[in-house]
Amino acid sequence: RGILAIYHNPPRFLISMFVHEVEARKDAHSNLLSKSETSDLYKIQFHNVKPDCLEAYNNLEAEVQSKLHLDQDYPCDVVGSWNTWYGDQDQAVHLWRYTGGYPALTECLTKLNNNKEYLQFRKERSKMLVSRRNQLLLEFSFWNEPTPRNGPNIYEMRSYKLKPGTMIEWGNHWARAIKHRQENDEAIGGFFTQIGDLYEVHHLWAYKDLQSREETRNSAWQKEGWDSSVYYTVPLIRSMESRIMIPTKSSPLQ
């Protein structure tokens, strides 16, 4: 009977021995991890294109992107556009930035829905697509700001689906780890989802070719601290994916 009493009402010292008490967080992880000095919001689009339509799709997308990118009336710009080389075939990936956050996104959508030329573009584009999806993202505070660059380059997007509740821990480790991956100017940007598949992270890297990618990644292991960063972040991951991408002709990231 005494054992049962302890089982149902365990002493405080026993609880502290076996239960890990977590301090309550005082803010959303989006506020803790993103850049506080900017209010930029990013959108990433994944378009799976009919194989025989990819060239026509790229030409149509480039025409519309150029108009939106240069039009001061739209508070958005295209960061980069790519076709997947290794990964999902016949796929286009677009990364947009909305300067001003959610209000800028809403303003753009409202204007586009009243733009007859854009509505016609969407109608034509829909004939070329198999499927499409998107996500809204924020940028990690410790990553580089993505800026246009000259080519030729190949780009790798490494996408990580994390265990729920681990985003802060991921950010803390990568805030230290990123310094090991910047010497060759390969780090483009790091983002985490706000809407779409949650607890997903995208890291974007640039390399001259696949061989330089191999050499750059291998060299990171020679730097003190990189191995421990990998050791502590791997258990946070549920799944991960790598896609190698080629920039389209109109992409600011070449």
Side-chain angles (χ1 to χ4, degrees), residues 47-51 53-54 57 89-92 128-131:
H47 289 175
N48 295 313
V49 185
K50 295 177 182 178
C53 294
L54 188 58
Y57 168 91
Q89 297 294 282
D90 302 307
Q91 183 183 70
M128 305 177 185
L129 296 179
V130 176
S131 64

Side-chain angles (χ1 to χ4, degrees), residues 4 25 31 46 54 63 68 78 95 109 116 129 139 143 162 170 179-180 218 229 233 239 244-245:
L4 287 175
R25 206 169 68 220
N31 294 331
F46 300 95
L54 188 58
E63 180 183 350
L68 292 179
V78 59
L95 182 62
L109 292 178
K116 292 182 179 180
L129 296 179
E139 183 185 11
W143 270 79
L162 306 184
W170 176 274
K179 65 183 180 182
H180 302 302
N218 286 341
S229 297
T233 53
S239 65
I244 301 296
M245 308 183 300

